[in-house]
Amino acid sequence: MPGRPSTRSSRPSRASSPRKSSARTITSRASTASRISSPRLDIPDEAPWSSVRAPVCAIFAGAQSSNAGHRKLVINLRKIQARCCNPKPSTPDEEDDHTEHTFNVEVGRCVLRFMNVKKSESVGDRVVRFLGLFLKHASEKDAQLLPETAADETLLETPTSRLTSHILSLLLPLLSAKEKTVRFRSTQLISHIINSLDSIDDDLFQLLRVGLLKRIRDKESMVRVQAVLGLGRLAGNETEGDAQELDSDDDDDAGGLMDTLLEALQNDPSADVRRSLLLNLPLTPNTLPYLLERARDQDAATRRTLYSRLLPALGDFRHLSLSMREKLLRWGLRDRDENVRKAAAKLFRERWIEDCAGPRDPGDGAQDKAAPPNFDGLLELLERIDVVNAGVENGIALEAMKEFWEGRPDYREAFVLDDGFWDGLTAESVFMARTFNDFCRRAAGGKLEGLLEEKMPEVTKFAFYLQRYTNTLVDHLKRLAAHEEGVEEDQTVEQEFIVEQLLHMAHTLDYTDEVGRRKMFSLMRETLAIAELPEEVTKLVVEVLRGLCGAEAAGEREFCGVVLEAVAEVHDTILGDEHDQSGTTDDDSFHSARSEVSGDGPAKSKKNKAGSEGVDDEEEGAKAIREIMVNMKCLHIAQCMLENVEGYLQANVHLVTMLNNLVVPAVRSHEAPIRERGLLCLGLCCLLDKTLAEENLTLFLHCFNKGHDALQVYALHILSDILTTHGPALLESEVFEKGKPLYKIFSKALRAEDKPAVQAAACTAVCKLMLGCVIKDEDLLKLLVVAYFDPATASNLGLRQCLSYFLPVYCHSRRENQGRMQRVTVAAIHSLILVSEHVDEEEEMVALSVIASHLVDWTDPRKLVVAASASGSGGAAAAAESIFDEMGRKENKAVNGDVHLDLAGDILERISASNCHKEEKKILASMLSKLYITSNAEGEKKRRALDLARYAVDDGVFADAPSRNALNKLLGALEKVGADVVKEEEEAGTPGVETPGAEDTMRDDDDDAVTVRGEGEGEKTEMASMVDNDEEETMFTKLEEVEEEGMEELEELEELKGEEGDTTTSIQLPKARAGHGGPNSARALGTGAARGDSLLDALLDDEEEDEVELSI
């Protein structure tokens, strides 16, 4: 037989072995294992050997080593290309293979060689960068060689364009390769080429668009990242007809390129893909909202990229809408990631301030340095963020200016607060002064106090400025109420904002100067008595006045007296005309609030009857409105006062007077606004007097039961504050029925799914009270767990956020709390299973397995972070749980596993119940394998869990294999940790818990006794015979001998049965369950039927009797 032709002898011909050479990667260090695991790439047959191959391969090999020599290699490769495009044979007989086609083939051959280079290999990235740099350089050179007449044409065919088309035609089929590495490298190179060139052929554009759109749905995120890099460049050139020209059957292309990219920007699971889209999508009015909403992306790096790269490159921020500026600042400065907050603060104090300050002079210096201070630009910046609305308490403008003063010390030094500044205050300038004052006073170590003292005026001078702007505000309010011309509401709002900022500054001033303090005190007392003063200004005036009176008890009494005098003046000012006509004196003007509010007194009825003649309905209506305004104003001042006092209410005569003459009549009023504000004041009074709180708890409960949504929220807040202040002692009183009405109120509110505000308020109140150990009701805890996972509360974000913080903190802070959670876990699982059965199709609920994992985690004793002594648990084992070393680090040692043992027992009891259906058993079984079982637990709990687990195994409660495996795993862990318990029982001679054994002591005249004791499952029953008292050690007989004695005794029992005078000893042996391997089963007693358990079989023969009497 002729031999097979050898192909190995033709090794010099490299073209004859294309597949052998294509298996080699670009790197030479490929081991056998890497060759086997590397992706396989089918490379087409190579062209014959040419003289161009060697220099081209040498250039590509050099491009792999480093990026530093790429420029030189690009020039060399361009020279080869130029020579191939212009062949010049040396002689007619000698053919030169330096042609354009040969060059394109060799470059494409080198491109295909690195398609299977993994992402981790940097040589692949270097080749991609080199090839993109060469194509860009070659395109520029070709453009220079074009004639000037061709400049107007959009695209001319050049050698480089033909090379690009050749490379892309080789790469397009590889986009759908099976190997992920090939798809990644081909997509990477195509995207890089697209971003390197200025123009591309239309036909090729459509092919690239379709191919990359398919890769945007790739399962590998690294492929999708490279696809969006190329599609981002193509998206700017998409026309309206592009989507229609594509095949409508292709789902990836049906929605258009831009719509597909925006959908990926919002929903792609990979943060790298979203970040790439954020940086590569074109900035258009349509895409800008989608880009800016990435400020709420779940990935911190993506959010930081928006603030550090996209927004600075966006241009002038004033093109954004006012609401978008405010949102960007609020989202950035309040982000949970520190780097995002820093990026947002840098954007505000460097980029946005420069946009307002105007363009910089190129001759000023380096552009990367901050511009010199420009306070006109800062004022404009504050105006652009609407400081009047954003500068209120908890507004974002306060945080923005805090970051500004911290990052721009040059502005701090250049800030001047002279007389001209105070004389012409605007909303922006006074806010700038207020934030500067707050930042300097709150600086660490008081290092900026000296700078502030140099710039701020003295207290007396500041009081005059405050008085002037307060008078201006009151004048604007009066003219606006009179509907005078020339007074706009915006001007009044701005004046009110100026006065508020000045009062904020007055609250932080140093009043060691007695002259300045007296001036400010008199000014605040006079200002508080102005009836037209807005509520926010009134609140700030009361706070400043409280600081001026001093913190001691005498200062508090003086403060209350001054405020009540102002209340009386306000009351007389508004109703002064009516009091003058009716002859009311100044002494009873304040007390008249009772009759005016209640409206049921005899004196008022007589006046109304006597003066009703000649008074029309309009005047009566105006009078009623004026009365409501009077009492609302007085109650607001009283509320502000009560928020700033801390002493005992009965010890302050001014507070008692205010309670009896203003608050109580307001609570009894028939006008809803007055009654609600009166309830708020009464609740604040209850915080100062425990007896008053006990008397009015029923009133607040009644307000919740009969009131509307807003009143119910007020009642919940008041009840929560009262219980937090006075402690759980209020709930223990017999008058309050041990807190049952309160628990009923909270339970009703937590179930009010149609009232999300009430439900969230109740949730917050219960969580606070439980964390403070005021409420310990387990039913409320179960309601909180169910509400957290209930899909009906998915839209109630306040409730969900509160519970997401509360539940882990509550369980991991105290051992008692973990115990309560353990006791409600099984019931909560059952309730949630019932909820899941009634979930609508449009609703989504968390998987029950996830819920079970949460409950196991919350009851995990290893995550208890507070020392055992703090949680009140005793025992040496519990005390050893939380130990701290010298550095303050916690060391978890000897973790007490009682909680999970109790949970295991509860689960096993539930799955053994007859009403536990299959789905609930599966969920509970999944929890068994996650429990932490440790030997550091009480012996009783170990015995109980072990006995229940053995019964569950023998009873076959689970039908599926995973549940049985989880149960067997738990049983193995319990037997391992319960070995010491069984050993202790053997040594101590005590029966197991809940499974009492049989013990029969038969004594004769010689004091000899035989004891039959049933031990736990798997333990051998021992019958011991005690010897005489002279012998020092106990000797046990063999089981066969004892059984023979037992048979003889049984015969004697039958003969002597019924005789009187005999001594009777009862042996109580519980009836053995069928299939139960407990301690009383035949399998647990001795060696079993193989040896013939005569005595035991006889004793257990009567299944209807629970005990057998042996008469000796």
Side-chain angles (χ1 to χ4, degrees), residues 788-815:
Y788 183 52
F789 297 106
D790 193 346
T793 62
S795 59
N796 197 340
L797 300 181
L799 179 140
R800 286 291 182 93
Q801 184 176 12
C802 177
L803 290 178
S804 64
Y805 170 82
F806 162 75
L807 289 173
V809 172
Y810 175 79
C811 296
H812 298 158
S813 58
R814 299 174 67 88
R815 180 179 299 281

PDB file of all heavy atoms in Angstrom, residues 788-815:
ATOM      1  N   TYR A 788     -43.345  45.218  55.373  1.00  0.00           N
ATOM      2  CA  TYR A 788     -42.095  45.465  54.641  1.00  0.00           C
ATOM      3  C   TYR A 788     -42.057  44.686  53.329  1.00  0.00           C
ATOM      4  O   TYR A 788     -41.549  45.181  52.320  1.00  0.00           O
ATOM      5  CB  TYR A 788     -40.918  45.078  55.528  1.00  0.00           C
ATOM      6  CG  TYR A 788     -39.566  45.343  54.916  1.00  0.00           C
ATOM      7  CD1 TYR A 788     -39.239  46.597  54.403  1.00  0.00           C
ATOM      8  CD2 TYR A 788     -38.596  44.346  54.853  1.00  0.00           C
ATOM      9  CE1 TYR A 788     -38.001  46.852  53.847  1.00  0.00           C
ATOM     10  CE2 TYR A 788     -37.352  44.589  54.305  1.00  0.00           C
ATOM     11  CZ  TYR A 788     -37.062  45.843  53.811  1.00  0.00           C
ATOM     12  OH  TYR A 788     -35.830  46.088  53.243  1.00  0.00           O
ATOM     13  N   PHE A 789     -42.601  43.473  53.331  1.00  0.00           N
ATOM     14  CA  PHE A 789     -42.556  42.635  52.138  1.00  0.00           C
ATOM     15  C   PHE A 789     -43.870  42.631  51.351  1.00  0.00           C
ATOM     16  O   PHE A 789     -43.924  42.034  50.275  1.00  0.00           O
ATOM     17  CB  PHE A 789     -42.199  41.197  52.523  1.00  0.00           C
ATOM     18  CG  PHE A 789     -40.832  41.047  53.130  1.00  0.00           C
ATOM     19  CD1 PHE A 789     -40.676  40.816  54.473  1.00  0.00           C
ATOM     20  CD2 PHE A 789     -39.701  41.158  52.339  1.00  0.00           C
ATOM     21  CE1 PHE A 789     -39.422  40.668  55.040  1.00  0.00           C
ATOM     22  CE2 PHE A 789     -38.438  41.026  52.892  1.00  0.00           C
ATOM     23  CZ  PHE A 789     -38.300  40.780  54.250  1.00  0.00           C
ATOM     24  N   ASP A 790     -44.887  43.255  51.877  1.00  0.00           N
ATOM     25  CA  ASP A 790     -46.183  43.267  51.201  1.00  0.00           C
ATOM     26  C   ASP A 790     -46.098  44.112  49.930  1.00  0.00           C
ATOM     27  O   ASP A 790     -45.672  45.266  49.974  1.00  0.00           O
ATOM     28  CB  ASP A 790     -47.250  43.833  52.137  1.00  0.00           C
ATOM     29  CG  ASP A 790     -48.653  43.580  51.611  1.00  0.00           C
ATOM     30  OD1 ASP A 790     -48.792  43.224  50.423  1.00  0.00           O
ATOM     31  OD2 ASP A 790     -49.613  43.733  52.394  1.00  0.00           O
ATOM     32  N   PRO A 791     -46.478  43.575  48.766  1.00  0.00           N
ATOM     33  CA  PRO A 791     -46.417  44.385  47.541  1.00  0.00           C
ATOM     34  C   PRO A 791     -47.352  45.577  47.558  1.00  0.00           C
ATOM     35  O   PRO A 791     -47.175  46.517  46.779  1.00  0.00           O
ATOM     36  CB  PRO A 791     -46.791  43.383  46.447  1.00  0.00           C
ATOM     37  CG  PRO A 791     -47.513  42.288  47.140  1.00  0.00           C
ATOM     38  CD  PRO A 791     -46.932  42.197  48.503  1.00  0.00           C
ATOM     39  N   ALA A 792     -48.347  45.582  48.440  1.00  0.00           N
ATOM     40  CA  ALA A 792     -49.260  46.717  48.514  1.00  0.00           C
ATOM     41  C   ALA A 792     -48.574  47.973  49.033  1.00  0.00           C
ATOM     42  O   ALA A 792     -49.062  49.087  48.807  1.00  0.00           O
ATOM     43  CB  ALA A 792     -50.456  46.375  49.400  1.00  0.00           C
ATOM     44  N   THR A 793     -47.451  47.833  49.743  1.00  0.00           N
ATOM     45  CA  THR A 793     -46.718  48.987  50.268  1.00  0.00           C
ATOM     46  C   THR A 793     -45.539  49.383  49.393  1.00  0.00           C
ATOM     47  O   THR A 793     -44.692  50.170  49.823  1.00  0.00           O
ATOM     48  CB  THR A 793     -46.209  48.688  51.683  1.00  0.00           C
ATOM     49  OG1 THR A 793     -45.286  47.580  51.632  1.00  0.00           O
ATOM     50  CG2 THR A 793     -47.357  48.326  52.611  1.00  0.00           C
ATOM     51  N   ALA A 794     -45.466  48.837  48.186  1.00  0.00           N
ATOM     52  CA  ALA A 794     -44.317  49.143  47.325  1.00  0.00           C
ATOM     53  C   ALA A 794     -44.271  50.614  46.954  1.00  0.00           C
ATOM     54  O   ALA A 794     -43.189  51.187  46.797  1.00  0.00           O
ATOM     55  CB  ALA A 794     -44.368  48.278  46.062  1.00  0.00           C
ATOM     56  N   SER A 795     -45.426  51.254  46.813  1.00  0.00           N
ATOM     57  CA  SER A 795     -45.459  52.673  46.452  1.00  0.00           C
ATOM     58  C   SER A 795     -45.244  53.589  47.645  1.00  0.00           C
ATOM     59  O   SER A 795     -45.015  54.789  47.462  1.00  0.00           O
ATOM     60  CB  SER A 795     -46.791  53.013  45.785  1.00  0.00           C
ATOM     61  OG  SER A 795     -47.875  52.719  46.653  1.00  0.00           O
ATOM     62  N   ASN A 796     -45.322  53.064  48.841  1.00  0.00           N
ATOM     63  CA  ASN A 796     -45.114  53.871  50.051  1.00  0.00           C
ATOM     64  C   ASN A 796     -43.623  53.852  50.383  1.00  0.00           C
ATOM     65  O   ASN A 796     -43.144  53.070  51.202  1.00  0.00           O
ATOM     66  CB  ASN A 796     -45.936  53.305  51.201  1.00  0.00           C
ATOM     67  CG  ASN A 796     -46.094  54.280  52.344  1.00  0.00           C
ATOM     68  OD1 ASN A 796     -45.317  55.228  52.478  1.00  0.00           O
ATOM     69  ND2 ASN A 796     -47.090  54.059  53.175  1.00  0.00           N
ATOM     70  N   LEU A 797     -42.877  54.747  49.739  1.00  0.00           N
ATOM     71  CA  LEU A 797     -41.426  54.735  49.891  1.00  0.00           C
ATOM     72  C   LEU A 797     -40.988  55.128  51.293  1.00  0.00           C
ATOM     73  O   LEU A 797     -39.964  54.665  51.780  1.00  0.00           O
ATOM     74  CB  LEU A 797     -40.810  55.682  48.856  1.00  0.00           C
ATOM     75  CG  LEU A 797     -41.109  55.350  47.384  1.00  0.00           C
ATOM     76  CD1 LEU A 797     -40.426  56.347  46.468  1.00  0.00           C
ATOM     77  CD2 LEU A 797     -40.682  53.932  47.049  1.00  0.00           C
ATOM     78  N   GLY A 798     -41.741  55.995  51.955  1.00  0.00           N
ATOM     79  CA  GLY A 798     -41.383  56.371  53.318  1.00  0.00           C
ATOM     80  C   GLY A 798     -41.421  55.193  54.262  1.00  0.00           C
ATOM     81  O   GLY A 798     -40.527  55.027  55.110  1.00  0.00           O
ATOM     82  N   LEU A 799     -42.433  54.364  54.121  1.00  0.00           N
ATOM     83  CA  LEU A 799     -42.535  53.178  54.977  1.00  0.00           C
ATOM     84  C   LEU A 799     -41.428  52.184  54.660  1.00  0.00           C
ATOM     85  O   LEU A 799     -40.798  51.633  55.577  1.00  0.00           O
ATOM     86  CB  LEU A 799     -43.911  52.537  54.781  1.00  0.00           C
ATOM     87  CG  LEU A 799     -44.205  51.268  55.566  1.00  0.00           C
ATOM     88  CD1 LEU A 799     -45.637  51.292  56.092  1.00  0.00           C
ATOM     89  CD2 LEU A 799     -44.020  50.019  54.700  1.00  0.00           C
ATOM     90  N   ARG A 800     -41.176  51.942  53.382  1.00  0.00           N
ATOM     91  CA  ARG A 800     -40.145  50.980  53.006  1.00  0.00           C
ATOM     92  C   ARG A 800     -38.756  51.428  53.483  1.00  0.00           C
ATOM     93  O   ARG A 800     -37.955  50.625  53.977  1.00  0.00           O
ATOM     94  CB  ARG A 800     -40.142  50.800  51.495  1.00  0.00           C
ATOM     95  CG  ARG A 800     -41.322  49.984  50.957  1.00  0.00           C
ATOM     96  CD  ARG A 800     -41.206  48.526  51.386  1.00  0.00           C
ATOM     97  NE  ARG A 800     -42.270  47.688  50.858  1.00  0.00           N
ATOM     98  CZ  ARG A 800     -42.192  46.998  49.729  1.00  0.00           C
ATOM     99  NH1 ARG A 800     -41.102  47.069  48.991  1.00  0.00           N
ATOM    100  NH2 ARG A 800     -43.187  46.238  49.333  1.00  0.00           N
ATOM    101  N   GLN A 801     -38.455  52.702  53.336  1.00  0.00           N
ATOM    102  CA  GLN A 801     -37.139  53.186  53.751  1.00  0.00           C
ATOM    103  C   GLN A 801     -36.977  53.105  55.262  1.00  0.00           C
ATOM    104  O   GLN A 801     -35.908  52.758  55.767  1.00  0.00           O
ATOM    105  CB  GLN A 801     -36.938  54.622  53.271  1.00  0.00           C
ATOM    106  CG  GLN A 801     -35.554  55.180  53.565  1.00  0.00           C
ATOM    107  CD  GLN A 801     -35.369  56.567  52.992  1.00  0.00           C
ATOM    108  OE1 GLN A 801     -36.323  57.202  52.560  1.00  0.00           O
ATOM    109  NE2 GLN A 801     -34.146  57.057  52.989  1.00  0.00           N
ATOM    110  N   CYS A 802     -38.046  53.426  55.991  1.00  0.00           N
ATOM    111  CA  CYS A 802     -37.986  53.339  57.454  1.00  0.00           C
ATOM    112  C   CYS A 802     -37.746  51.908  57.912  1.00  0.00           C
ATOM    113  O   CYS A 802     -36.899  51.654  58.775  1.00  0.00           O
ATOM    114  CB  CYS A 802     -39.279  53.893  58.046  1.00  0.00           C
ATOM    115  SG  CYS A 802     -39.391  53.776  59.842  1.00  0.00           S
ATOM    116  N   LEU A 803     -38.462  50.956  57.330  1.00  0.00           N
ATOM    117  CA  LEU A 803     -38.317  49.559  57.747  1.00  0.00           C
ATOM    118  C   LEU A 803     -36.998  48.954  57.297  1.00  0.00           C
ATOM    119  O   LEU A 803     -36.453  48.079  57.983  1.00  0.00           O
ATOM    120  CB  LEU A 803     -39.482  48.741  57.196  1.00  0.00           C
ATOM    121  CG  LEU A 803     -40.849  49.022  57.818  1.00  0.00           C
ATOM    122  CD1 LEU A 803     -41.921  48.183  57.151  1.00  0.00           C
ATOM    123  CD2 LEU A 803     -40.834  48.751  59.314  1.00  0.00           C
ATOM    124  N   SER A 804     -36.479  49.390  56.162  1.00  0.00           N
ATOM    125  CA  SER A 804     -35.193  48.853  55.707  1.00  0.00           C
ATOM    126  C   SER A 804     -34.069  49.223  56.666  1.00  0.00           C
ATOM    127  O   SER A 804     -33.076  48.502  56.772  1.00  0.00           O
ATOM    128  CB  SER A 804     -34.882  49.388  54.307  1.00  0.00           C
ATOM    129  OG  SER A 804     -34.729  50.795  54.343  1.00  0.00           O
ATOM    130  N   TYR A 805     -34.217  50.328  57.372  1.00  0.00           N
ATOM    131  CA  TYR A 805     -33.232  50.682  58.409  1.00  0.00           C
ATOM    132  C   TYR A 805     -33.576  50.031  59.741  1.00  0.00           C
ATOM    133  O   TYR A 805     -32.700  49.536  60.454  1.00  0.00           O
ATOM    134  CB  TYR A 805     -33.180  52.195  58.579  1.00  0.00           C
ATOM    135  CG  TYR A 805     -32.370  52.636  59.773  1.00  0.00           C
ATOM    136  CD1 TYR A 805     -30.987  52.724  59.707  1.00  0.00           C
ATOM    137  CD2 TYR A 805     -32.982  52.953  60.987  1.00  0.00           C
ATOM    138  CE1 TYR A 805     -30.235  53.110  60.810  1.00  0.00           C
ATOM    139  CE2 TYR A 805     -32.246  53.334  62.087  1.00  0.00           C
ATOM    140  CZ  TYR A 805     -30.870  53.415  61.996  1.00  0.00           C
ATOM    141  OH  TYR A 805     -30.137  53.792  63.082  1.00  0.00           O
ATOM    142  N   PHE A 806     -34.856  50.004  60.076  1.00  0.00           N
ATOM    143  CA  PHE A 806     -35.253  49.581  61.418  1.00  0.00           C
ATOM    144  C   PHE A 806     -35.027  48.098  61.667  1.00  0.00           C
ATOM    145  O   PHE A 806     -34.468  47.708  62.694  1.00  0.00           O
ATOM    146  CB  PHE A 806     -36.722  49.943  61.643  1.00  0.00           C
ATOM    147  CG  PHE A 806     -37.353  49.208  62.788  1.00  0.00           C
ATOM    148  CD1 PHE A 806     -37.073  49.565  64.101  1.00  0.00           C
ATOM    149  CD2 PHE A 806     -38.224  48.146  62.569  1.00  0.00           C
ATOM    150  CE1 PHE A 806     -37.651  48.886  65.163  1.00  0.00           C
ATOM    151  CE2 PHE A 806     -38.803  47.466  63.615  1.00  0.00           C
ATOM    152  CZ  PHE A 806     -38.514  47.834  64.925  1.00  0.00           C
ATOM    153  N   LEU A 807     -35.485  47.246  60.757  1.00  0.00           N
ATOM    154  CA  LEU A 807     -35.512  45.806  61.038  1.00  0.00           C
ATOM    155  C   LEU A 807     -34.130  45.230  61.348  1.00  0.00           C
ATOM    156  O   LEU A 807     -33.976  44.535  62.359  1.00  0.00           O
ATOM    157  CB  LEU A 807     -36.174  45.078  59.864  1.00  0.00           C
ATOM    158  CG  LEU A 807     -37.687  45.299  59.740  1.00  0.00           C
ATOM    159  CD1 LEU A 807     -38.224  44.689  58.449  1.00  0.00           C
ATOM    160  CD2 LEU A 807     -38.415  44.726  60.940  1.00  0.00           C
ATOM    161  N   PRO A 808     -33.086  45.463  60.531  1.00  0.00           N
ATOM    162  CA  PRO A 808     -31.775  44.911  60.923  1.00  0.00           C
ATOM    163  C   PRO A 808     -31.194  45.557  62.175  1.00  0.00           C
ATOM    164  O   PRO A 808     -30.568  44.883  62.991  1.00  0.00           O
ATOM    165  CB  PRO A 808     -30.904  45.169  59.687  1.00  0.00           C
ATOM    166  CG  PRO A 808     -31.583  46.247  58.931  1.00  0.00           C
ATOM    167  CD  PRO A 808     -33.043  46.104  59.212  1.00  0.00           C
ATOM    168  N   VAL A 809     -31.401  46.863  62.339  1.00  0.00           N
ATOM    169  CA  VAL A 809     -30.865  47.531  63.530  1.00  0.00           C
ATOM    170  C   VAL A 809     -31.567  47.031  64.783  1.00  0.00           C
ATOM    171  O   VAL A 809     -30.931  46.803  65.827  1.00  0.00           O
ATOM    172  CB  VAL A 809     -31.017  49.060  63.375  1.00  0.00           C
ATOM    173  CG1 VAL A 809     -30.664  49.762  64.674  1.00  0.00           C
ATOM    174  CG2 VAL A 809     -30.141  49.572  62.261  1.00  0.00           C
ATOM    175  N   TYR A 810     -32.859  46.871  64.711  1.00  0.00           N
ATOM    176  CA  TYR A 810     -33.618  46.389  65.868  1.00  0.00           C
ATOM    177  C   TYR A 810     -33.168  44.990  66.280  1.00  0.00           C
ATOM    178  O   TYR A 810     -32.967  44.716  67.470  1.00  0.00           O
ATOM    179  CB  TYR A 810     -35.104  46.405  65.521  1.00  0.00           C
ATOM    180  CG  TYR A 810     -36.000  45.820  66.587  1.00  0.00           C
ATOM    181  CD1 TYR A 810     -36.342  46.552  67.712  1.00  0.00           C
ATOM    182  CD2 TYR A 810     -36.521  44.537  66.452  1.00  0.00           C
ATOM    183  CE1 TYR A 810     -37.169  46.016  68.686  1.00  0.00           C
ATOM    184  CE2 TYR A 810     -37.346  43.990  67.417  1.00  0.00           C
ATOM    185  CZ  TYR A 810     -37.666  44.739  68.542  1.00  0.00           C
ATOM    186  OH  TYR A 810     -38.475  44.207  69.505  1.00  0.00           O
ATOM    187  N   CYS A 811     -33.020  44.099  65.308  1.00  0.00           N
ATOM    188  CA  CYS A 811     -32.685  42.711  65.637  1.00  0.00           C
ATOM    189  C   CYS A 811     -31.238  42.552  66.080  1.00  0.00           C
ATOM    190  O   CYS A 811     -30.945  41.712  66.944  1.00  0.00           O
ATOM    191  CB  CYS A 811     -32.960  41.815  64.430  1.00  0.00           C
ATOM    192  SG  CYS A 811     -34.698  41.738  63.964  1.00  0.00           S
ATOM    193  N   HIS A 812     -30.338  43.302  65.529  1.00  0.00           N
ATOM    194  CA  HIS A 812     -28.912  43.123  65.820  1.00  0.00           C
ATOM    195  C   HIS A 812     -28.423  43.981  66.973  1.00  0.00           C
ATOM    196  O   HIS A 812     -27.227  43.986  67.261  1.00  0.00           O
ATOM    197  CB  HIS A 812     -28.085  43.437  64.566  1.00  0.00           C
ATOM    198  CG  HIS A 812     -28.379  42.524  63.422  1.00  0.00           C
ATOM    199  ND1 HIS A 812     -28.111  42.858  62.111  1.00  0.00           N
ATOM    200  CD2 HIS A 812     -28.922  41.273  63.383  1.00  0.00           C
ATOM    201  CE1 HIS A 812     -28.485  41.866  61.323  1.00  0.00           C
ATOM    202  NE2 HIS A 812     -28.967  40.897  62.067  1.00  0.00           N
ATOM    203  N   SER A 813     -29.315  44.711  67.622  1.00  0.00           N
ATOM    204  CA  SER A 813     -28.893  45.594  68.713  1.00  0.00           C
ATOM    205  C   SER A 813     -29.069  44.959  70.087  1.00  0.00           C
ATOM    206  O   SER A 813     -28.294  45.239  70.999  1.00  0.00           O
ATOM    207  CB  SER A 813     -29.674  46.916  68.660  1.00  0.00           C
ATOM    208  OG  SER A 813     -31.067  46.681  68.750  1.00  0.00           O
ATOM    209  N   ARG A 814     -30.066  44.105  70.267  1.00  0.00           N
ATOM    210  CA  ARG A 814     -30.327  43.508  71.579  1.00  0.00           C
ATOM    211  C   ARG A 814     -30.747  42.057  71.405  1.00  0.00           C
ATOM    212  O   ARG A 814     -31.426  41.697  70.434  1.00  0.00           O
ATOM    213  CB  ARG A 814     -31.430  44.268  72.328  1.00  0.00           C
ATOM    214  CG  ARG A 814     -31.109  45.722  72.600  1.00  0.00           C
ATOM    215  CD  ARG A 814     -32.306  46.429  73.198  1.00  0.00           C
ATOM    216  NE  ARG A 814     -32.606  45.932  74.520  1.00  0.00           N
ATOM    217  CZ  ARG A 814     -32.079  46.399  75.657  1.00  0.00           C
ATOM    218  NH1 ARG A 814     -31.221  47.406  75.595  1.00  0.00           N
ATOM    219  NH2 ARG A 814     -32.399  45.895  76.814  1.00  0.00           N
ATOM    220  N   ARG A 815     -30.365  41.231  72.381  1.00  0.00           N
ATOM    221  CA  ARG A 815     -30.722  39.820  72.326  1.00  0.00           C
ATOM    222  C   ARG A 815     -32.228  39.639  72.478  1.00  0.00           C
ATOM    223  O   ARG A 815     -32.832  38.768  71.824  1.00  0.00           O
ATOM    224  CB  ARG A 815     -29.983  39.053  73.422  1.00  0.00           C
ATOM    225  CG  ARG A 815     -30.312  37.564  73.428  1.00  0.00           C
ATOM    226  CD  ARG A 815     -29.540  36.847  74.509  1.00  0.00           C
ATOM    227  NE  ARG A 815     -28.117  36.988  74.274  1.00  0.00           N
ATOM    228  CZ  ARG A 815     -27.422  36.281  73.398  1.00  0.00           C
ATOM    229  NH1 ARG A 815     -28.033  35.383  72.654  1.00  0.00           N
ATOM    230  NH2 ARG A 815     -26.138  36.457  73.242  1.00  0.00           N
TER     231      ARG A 815
END
